[in-house]
Amino acid sequence: MNKIFIIIQREYLARVKKRSFLLTTFLIPVLFIGMYVGIILITKKSFEDSHATVYVYDRTETTAKQLEDNKTLTFIRNPEKDLADQLADLTGKKSKTHVLIIPQDFYSAKATELLSGSKPNMALKTALQNNLSDIILKNEYKKLEIDPSLLEGIESKVKLSTKEIAQDGDTKDSYTEVVMGLGVTLSILIYICLMLYGSQVMRGVIEEKTSRIVEIIVSSVKPFQLMMGKIIGVGLVGLTQFALWGVLSLILITAASGIMMQSVDIDPQMIQGSNGMEPAQLSALSEVSGIDLQPILSTIDFPLIFGSFILFFLGGYLLYSALFAAVASAVDSETEVSQFTLPVTMPLLITYLLSFSVLINDPDGAISTWLSMIPFTSPIAMMVRIPFGVDLWQIGLSILLLFSTFILITWLAAKVYKTGILMYGKKASLKEMLKWIKY
Amino acid sequence: MLHIQNITKNYARHRALNNVSLRIKKGQLHGLLGPNGAGKTTLIRIINQIIAPDSGTILFEGEPLRPDHSNKIGYLPEERGLYKKMKIGDQLIYLGQLKGLSKRESKLRIREWLERLEMGDWIDKKIADLSKGMQQKVQFVATVFHEPELIILDEPFSGFDPVNAKTIQNEILKLHQKGSTIIYSTHRMESVEELCTHLSLINKSEIILDGSINEIKDAYKTQTYTLRYTEPEANLTSQLKEMCEIVENTFTPEETYIKILIKESYSLNDILKYLVDNNATLHEVKELSPTMQDIFIDQVTKTA
């Protein structure tokens, strides 16, 4: 067996077997999805809890029957108890029961009183106000002899649907907000992943150097094999984690949307009709969030995004972890490394910050285009741009540049690494590290 | 076994090795001596192919050194350590695999070695849980358990307590008896005399002395002896002055003790013959040969 495979195997297994790997792998999706489900369930619960009963004492005789019940509000129109008894019941109790008094001069004064044992919540107040305003409005229409049903037919809300023209002349719907959100999410994801796995390579190199095992290992394999073995091993850990996250998320989303479908009372006919899990899940999500997700999601090229994410993660990871390995080889302890990592990760950090402004606001502008071509910034910049739609040749060129730079940088980094790992007891300056390239 | 030819290695500001040549024969226990910074570690790293020389070649069993030769070499560096969080067994298996052993073969040999060093129960412990002496033993096992033809030990006894040092010394001698070629690098001279058959002295990037211990000692003979005898008549000792210089003397009624430096053109035999012929009774004759330490300091200061 080639020795580099033995190294890859150790680096991979040592990390995958760790408890922290299992924790991050399982906890992160559980945490995210749990949060999402939690928020929805809590919101739902609070709706149920806020159900209020309102006893109506109507002095006008005609208003009460015009009040409309809904899910959170029930009107008792002809209370058995008289007002005084009802109020006595209310006093000092924090119940969801309220008393509404509609005075005789309601239609002229346009005022009512709501009496509660505690402070009524905002939702109830708004619902009552809307309800009563409608009644006043209808009353006014009647006086002016306007048929309210005519007015209901008039729709004044304007819908602005945005479409972009594709090269083949077709138009397709575009959802800028969704795409921006996706771009930012991808930027955060790739930035975190690059830093996470890059720093694992760095810590691994420092561990080998400070524990002094490195000289024993490089007497059996070439320093380059050790460095690449470590980089590849950690990279595979990253890919494994992505795969597990993907599988876990799918399971959790299926389970979660199952729970939500039950509680959201979707017509079972609809689910059967849609045939298959995915549309059912989507409609469950749509129902909850109140947005129709299906047409939005169908405009996003997920295979392209996933494919590019993997490629740009790999390219960026290989490039930066080679730099990290070189830097780590030059220091003598983990505490010394921070002053070197900042200059190394600066391009990444700047692009990350820019992705929240320039990149998402002007994804096809000159700055964005350049940043998505320069290898040190392209993993983030290109991932932000891809959801907006980027020509394939640009993506291809960017990947090509990224991987060729990775080869060049690895070649240089290996030279620094080779010398650095055997320099004990002193921290090298940047100048010295550059000199090592010539050894 | 190992033929080092005209190796030169330069670093940024200084020359670590200057045209160094050395021949180490199969089965030798070869001491590599020199003060700190003389170039020992650089030479050893070049033999291990960790760094490349600027010029010169190394032949391993007659062939130019190749990467796969590293499987036949065991190296215990001066700066050494192990993965702290890895179990001893896993760690040794890993290092064995890197030396071309199969996993199964590694396991067998590791068990055998650890039991021999009374560490059999520790195989599933992590390095961080071991004492420093035990860690050193594990490192020693890691160096030799793939049964290398050439073993290179750089200051193997540093960090050992006397008891463990003795254990390791015995293991080194056993390996030597079994036919392994061993290079033992150190700056501690006294241990070299005890262990080595051959030695090279390296100072200021050059080899200044090379040969078998006996040859070197012969070359540095000082012709100094101590003698104890009983002389029948008083004047006998003073008559020796013709053949040797008397550095020290003690006379008691029973015995005479002298330390002499024999003059050129005379030998110890001449002195002894003279004493015996004159009816002196000899009790003890001892050659005062220089220790390696003396030779080392003498040579190093000479080249300074």
Side-chain angles (χ1 to χ4, degrees), chain B residues 109-158:
Chain B
R109 293 195 197 173
I110 289 162
R111 191 151 283 285
E112 193 187 307
W113 266 99
L114 288 182
E115 249 143 49
R116 190 141 107 218
L117 296 176
E118 293 162 356
M119 288 184 66
D121 300 336
W122 294 80
I123 196 157
D124 283 328
K125 290 273 186 323
K126 286 179 182 168
I127 290 292
D129 300 334
L130 299 191
S131 71
K132 199 154 180 245
M134 282 188 169
Q135 292 186 24
Q136 298 267 34
K137 279 190 190 173
V138 176
Q139 281 154 6
F140 181 77
V141 173
T143 310
V144 298
F145 84 99
H146 64 286
E147 293 174 4
E149 290 166 35
L150 175 65
I151 300 168
I152 302 174
L153 309 169
D154 198 351
E155 299 289 359
F157 299 113
S158 67

